[in-house]
Amino acid sequence: MSAHPVQGLPLLPGSAFSDPTKSTFHRSQTLGYRNGFACSRLPTMGIGRERLYVNQLSQAELDELSNKRPTLTYGQAKQAPPSDFIPAHVAFDKKVLKFDAYFQEDVPISTEEHFRIRQVGIYYYLEDDSMSVMEPIVENSGIPQGKLIKRQRIPKNDRGDHYHWKDLNRGMNITIYGKTFRIIDCDPFTQVFLESQGIELNPPEKMIFDPYTELRKMPMRMYVTPSNFDQLKQFLTFDKQVLRFYAVWDDTENMFGENRPFLIHYYLADDTVEVRELHERNDGRDPFPVLIRRQRLPKSFVDKMKTFPRCVLEISNQEVLEWYTVKDFAVGKPVTLLGRSFFIYDCDEFTRQFYYEKFGITDFQPVDVKKKSPEEVPQIIPPYNGYGFLEDSLQNCFSLLPQPPRKNFIKMLENDHKVLRYQVALESPNPEERKRRFILSYFLSTDMISIYEPPVRNSGIIGGKYLGKTKVPKPGSTTDNPVYYEPADLTVGAMVEVFGHRFIITDADEYVLNYMESNVESFPAATLQSLRDHFAPRRTAAQAAESQLAAGTGRQELEELVKQVQEQLKRHNYLSNSSMREAFLHHDQDGSGFLDKAEFFALCNRFNLPVSDALVNKLISLCSHGENKINYHDFIRAFSC
């Protein structure tokens, strides 16, 4: 930024004078683009907008060209155009001179070495005349190494000069920041470059190595103690090499003994043995993996070992006659370790390879030690004792805490409160028993049967529940494969055997026929047809009664009367009594649906209906069929709330 200093004046502040006519101090651009391609151009203006006369024709050359006349011949050959200007950072890009050197460093605090020789590499970058000093990193040297002097222009003297490549040569000393480096050699590229520039290189020298480092490389003096076996060599050779054997400890001879799996590890580095237990999932044992810690195990003792207090003193070589070695372990043979007998049934691949290389053994056939599963004993179901349901009693044979048998909840929900009722007669050689009538109810939700006997006055037999709700098996069915009665088996005239008692179905509720007709696919055609034939006369009589009722007072009057009766029953909180229907069905011997007036009035007086006598008499008159018959179906419908 300042003009050239006056000759002889130092370059110090105040000794140089700036030129006020110069305002721009940047360097001219030498790179540009033409038609999309990079090209170089000669600078015409220097710093401070001074015109450059470099690479231009002089006045004498211009005069010679102006006075030169053309000739008829080809004339003198044309001169080659001046070469293009190439900047230094382009011409010398990635071109580095490398010199091998070393320097000596004093070590004042060590008694083993007084100085240290450190080898370095000096790099000179031609593009910007910068230098750097690098030291190769030596592992575990304890010295900060790597980049000793970062890349920069290194001063040469106190006058502000810097080192140039012309100042570097082989066989010379160079001082950088107080450290003297001895350059001994350079690489081939550096040698070719310097020789091309006319520099005569000195002969290369040999690299001086650090004496302490060379001393450490020399083998140290070995003090070998006379011994029959080198334990250090064994440790260095077989360190981290372990033989693995798979064994079992069969302790079934003792009380509560088991056959437990173990791992035997033999450490080749020091001939020690370790026994580890293999735990299985949910085996009920505490997770203690080590049964015998890693130690040398004695194989045989001396004769005086019987009086040795092993519980308080450790066993040494004086008490042991022989220790366990590699030869004592083999696949398919037992080995006794501290009083426990282990059977080795297999080993790993490394153990096989070791025995093959060491002893030439190739027989490593694994032994199958798994216990064969005992033969499954067939479960014998005891005969049914008759108490409770068969499914409930069978659960006691499967578990100590019996669970209730599973129920078909979907079937129970679909058929809830659906009951098929039949009138049955007891088959017996006694004539009095044959006169007894029962109501058999089949519950579709649970396939159970209950039998009820309506009480008859002055019969001498107490009526009521004859059989509670239970499943009734068919004759000939077994406890292994029980077969129970189904609705398809209950037809008029069929015989039902209930725990040794035989009943004959004499009649059925009209709901049974309606249910079978709505579920035709679930019942045989013969069963459905038998019920239709049985109810045919009753339906004919009912139709005749309806026609007669329509001709007389009319069906509408009967319906209105039924509503009045039901309203009175609701005011008295009367619930429908199923025993009324069962009583009427019991007295209807022929199943026609009609009863005699005397018998009908006797049944009505027994139930004590909470309805006025006028309504009852009017209802009886509408349900009358002829002089002595009454259709009890319409009468019962009025009292079914």
Side-chain angles (χ1 to χ4, degrees), residues 23 61 87 102 108 117 192-193 306 397 412 429 445 447 459 496 513 546 567 569 593 607 611 616 641:
S23 59
E61 292 176 343
Y102 67 89
I117 300 298
V192 172
F193 177 80
K306 297 180 181 180
C397 303
M412 293 175 64
S445 60
D447 295 331
S459 64
V496 179
L513 179 61
E546 289 180 0
E567 288 178 359
L569 293 176
F607 288 107
V611 184
V616 173
C641 296

Side-chain angles (χ1 to χ4, degrees), residues 26-29 42-52:
H26 63 275
R27 299 183 64 179
S28 300
Q29 182 72 351
L42 298 177
T44 58
M45 304 296 291
I47 298 177
R49 306 289 296 176
E50 293 183 357
R51 185 173 182 82
L52 298 178

Side-chain angles (χ1 to χ4, degrees), residues 266-279:
Y266 188 93
Y267 295 87
L268 296 173
D270 53 359
D271 295 326
T272 54
V273 180
E274 179 189 52
V275 180
R276 305 179 69 90
E277 184 175 1
L278 291 177
H279 288 278

Side-chain angles (χ1 to χ4, degrees), residues 258-298:
E258 295 180 284
N259 195 5
R260 297 161 58 184
F262 287 90
L263 272 179
I264 300 177
H265 289 160
Y266 188 93
Y267 295 87
L268 296 173
D270 53 359
D271 295 326
T272 54
V273 180
E274 179 189 52
V275 180
R276 305 179 69 90
E277 184 175 1
L278 291 177
H279 288 278
E280 297 179 357
R281 192 173 186 179
N282 299 328
D283 58 357
R285 294 187 175 276
D286 293 332
F288 294 106
V290 178
L291 179 67
I292 301 176
R293 64 178 178 84
R294 180 178 175 182
Q295 58 182 307
R296 294 187 67 189
L297 296 180

Side-chain angles (χ1 to χ4, degrees), residues 182-194:
R182 178 69 178 181
I183 301 176
I184 60 173
D185 202 355
C186 61
D187 61 352
F189 171 76
T190 305
Q191 182 177 354
V192 172
F193 177 80
L194 294 178

